[in-house]
């Protein structure tokens, strides 16, 4: 039996939407047989800013036990699923800072030949979901990675509606992550693991 696929879910979330999606992605990946690490990018905002938003402050405390991603995690992983809320149609600074720290692995060719995918969320309907994922995927081209989007390859994606990756609209925090988003996230986790397994077997052949 080959070793299980090693999946790193590397994400940032301020108020919890991304955390809920990350958990669903992990559930789908684990069901597909993967070994999963859930890793939350380190917070950059000052504590005073966090404390001004009770939901942000509560989530910051609730996820304090989650490890921050490291270069070792990226090297360990066969597949990486990044997650970020939209920040003006782009990746959040917290996740971007971690990505920008990966140059030593990139120079050594240790980010190539891995499977990558992404998920996102917005406060407003269509508020930059696709542009955030496309911006994220620009980075993967530089890595030499293999992008595996969910596409419209399962019925859950016609409900979710975003072929670029799982996404959620929370209406300024008034719409919690529901089964539609969770189903899409589980499917994305399973699909990424399936492709990573095939790639791993092919490269080892």
């Amino acid at each position: 039996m080959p070793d299980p696929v090693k999946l790193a879910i590397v994400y940032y979330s301020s108020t919890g939407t991304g955390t809920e999606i990350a958990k669903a992605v992990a559930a789908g990946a684990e069901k597909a047989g993967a070994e999963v690490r859930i890793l939350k990018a380190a917070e950059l905002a000052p504590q005073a800013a966090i404390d001004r938003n009770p939901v942000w402050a509560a989530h910051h405390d609730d996820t304090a036990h989650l490890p921050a991603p490291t270069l070792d995690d990226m090297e360990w992983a066969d597949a990486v699923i990044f997650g970020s809320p939209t920040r003006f149609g782009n990746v959040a600074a917290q996740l971007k800072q971690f990505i920008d720290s990966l140059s030593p692995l990139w120079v050594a060719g240790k980010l190539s030949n891995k499977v990558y995918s992404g998920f996102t969320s917005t406060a407003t309907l269509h508020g930059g979901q696709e542009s955030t994922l496309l911006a994220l995927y620009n980075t993967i081209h530089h890595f030499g990675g293999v992008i595996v989007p969910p596409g419209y390859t399962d019925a859950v994606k016609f409900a979710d509606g975003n072929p670029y990756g799982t996404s959620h609209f929370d209406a300024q925090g008034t719409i919690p992550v529901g089964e539609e988003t969770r189903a899409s996230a589980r499917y994305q986790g399973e699909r990424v693991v399936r492709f990573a397994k095939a790639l791993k077997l092919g490269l080892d052949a």
Side-chain angles (χ1 to χ4, degrees):
M1 289 288 291
D3 292 336
V5 167
K6 298 185 285 291
L7 172 66
I9 300 172
V10 179
Y11 82 103
Y12 173 73
S13 176
S14 56
T15 58
T17 298
T19 298
E20 292 304 307
I21 297 173
K23 290 176 182 177
V25 169
E30 289 170 346
K31 186 175 180 180
E35 180 181 349
V36 179
R37 294 180 183 178
I38 299 179
L39 307 158
K40 183 171 177 276
E43 185 58 78
L44 300 179
Q47 190 64 46
I50 297 171
D51 290 342
R52 282 195 293 270
N53 183 329
V55 178
W56 190 357
H59 183 254
H60 182 65
D61 290 343
D62 290 346
T63 55
H65 65 285
L66 289 177
T70 66
L71 271 64
D72 287 343
D73 292 315
M74 293 294 294
E75 188 170 358
W76 165 85
D78 300 307
V80 180
I81 299 179
F82 288 114
S84 173
T86 290
R87 293 292 183 263
F88 303 111
N90 215 317
V91 177
Q94 289 86 347
L95 180 62
K96 187 62 166 59
Q97 184 186 52
F98 173 68
I99 290 172
D100 287 348
S101 77
L102 298 176
S103 291
L105 294 181
W106 171 71
V107 168
K110 292 182 178 180
L111 298 176
S112 64
N113 302 331
K114 298 177 186 285
V115 169
Y116 295 88
S117 200
F119 61 86
T120 190
S121 63
T122 55
T124 58
L125 188 62
H126 310 302
Q129 294 178 354
E130 293 179 357
S131 66
T132 298
L133 291 173
L134 288 170
L136 173 64
Y137 294 158
N138 285 337
T139 300
I140 310 310
H141 292 286
H142 289 257
F143 289 174
V146 179
I147 300 170
V148 176
Y152 292 112
T153 56
D154 188 272
V156 298
K157 291 308 300 175
F158 289 91
D160 162 82
N162 190 341
Y164 299 91
T166 300
S167 59
H168 181 71
F169 156 55
D170 75 359
Q172 305 291 343
T174 63
I175 301 176
V177 175
E179 180 54 28
E180 183 179 286
T181 302
R182 293 182 199 279
S184 177
R186 290 192 297 267
Y187 174 69
Q188 188 170 0
E190 181 275 329
R191 178 173 163 84
V192 165
V193 169
R194 181 155 41 90
F195 275 82
K197 186 179 301 182
L199 183 61
K200 187 173 182 178
L201 289 172
L203 290 173
D204 290 342

